[in-house]
Amino acid sequence: MKKILFFSALITGSLFFAQKAKVYEKPNYSINVPEGWKSTNDSEIVNIFPTSEIGAITISEYHGLALPKEEMKKFVLDLYKSIDPESKVKESRGKRGYTEYFYEYFDEKGKLFWITKAFQKDKDLYLVTINCGQKFWNGNYMTQFNETFNSFKIKK
């Protein structure tokens, strides 16, 4: 009985403290934006960030891009001028026929964490990144960034 009460209290507490979010809709994708965060659309590059501006999630979409699948890992590493081996960029088969690439990078000079997901199918590419200052990459900010990042959904 104590286990059931504990489990019920845990679920109720997590629902109580769960972050509210609004959905940012584009014709080809959607993403949940935490309440109180801002979003901008600068030349079709979307930035989502907390009001403290300690980091951001950036979404870029490209269509008609003739980037061979064999070059994607190198492309992701080149975004950061990283000398990491291509094996650090994880590749998996995603939903809706997209190949998903995942890469984590720490910029020693700027003290920034970068996390990138790239979704590629034919000549379509969606690039979704998190950048966040090292001293803020913990606790609530890390959770909010990851929940928002993981809520990205391609519609077509």
Side-chain angles (χ1 to χ4, degrees):
M1 185 64 157
K2 288 181 182 180
K3 288 182 181 179
I4 292 172
L5 287 174
F6 175 75
F7 185 69
S8 297
L10 186 64
I11 289 176
T12 303
S14 65
L15 291 174
F16 179 74
F17 289 108
Q19 295 292 324
K20 294 180 182 176
K22 62 183 179 199
V23 178
Y24 185 95
E25 294 276 346
K26 293 288 285 177
N28 296 323
Y29 67 84
S30 67
I31 189 167
N32 297 336
V33 178
E35 189 173 284
W37 283 33
K38 297 179 182 180
S39 59
T40 62
N41 185 336
D42 304 309
S43 302
E44 294 305 311
I45 297 175
V46 173
N47 290 291
I48 299 167
F49 50 93
T51 54
S52 61
E53 298 185 19
I54 52 89
I57 293 175
T58 302
I59 305 166
S60 308
E61 80 179 283
Y62 306 92
H63 303 285
L65 183 66
L67 180 63
K69 184 177 175 182
E70 300 78 34
E71 296 292 319
M72 269 303 297
K73 289 184 178 186
K74 184 177 182 339
F75 171 78
V76 171
L77 292 172
D78 285 348
L79 290 171
Y80 306 102
K81 296 180 177 68
S82 173
I83 58 171
D84 284 343
E86 288 184 17
S87 61
K88 289 268 189 161
V89 180
K90 303 301 178 200
E91 178 181 342
S92 64
R93 195 74 181 146
K95 296 176 183 173
R96 301 183 192 264
Y98 284 85
T99 302
E100 183 177 325
Y101 301 88
F102 180 82
Y103 179 62
E104 293 180 308
Y105 176 74
F106 180 68
D107 176 1
E108 291 284 344
K109 186 177 177 185
K111 301 295 183 201
L112 289 171
F113 280 104
W114 289 90
I115 300 174
T116 299
K117 281 186 184 179
F119 302 87
Q120 184 186 35
K121 178 178 162 183
D122 302 324
K123 292 185 178 186
D124 293 334
L125 174 67
Y126 295 88
L127 193 59
V128 185
T129 63
I130 296 175
N131 72 70
C132 184
Q134 179 184 16
K135 67 181 182 178
F136 301 105
W137 190 247
N138 58 34
N140 193 43
Y141 278 124
M142 183 176 67
T143 300
Q144 285 184 311
F145 273 112
N146 280 317
E147 286 176 357
T148 304
F149 188 66
N150 292 326
S151 74
F152 177 82
K153 302 283 185 261
I154 297 171
K155 294 180 180 180
K156 61 176 194 164

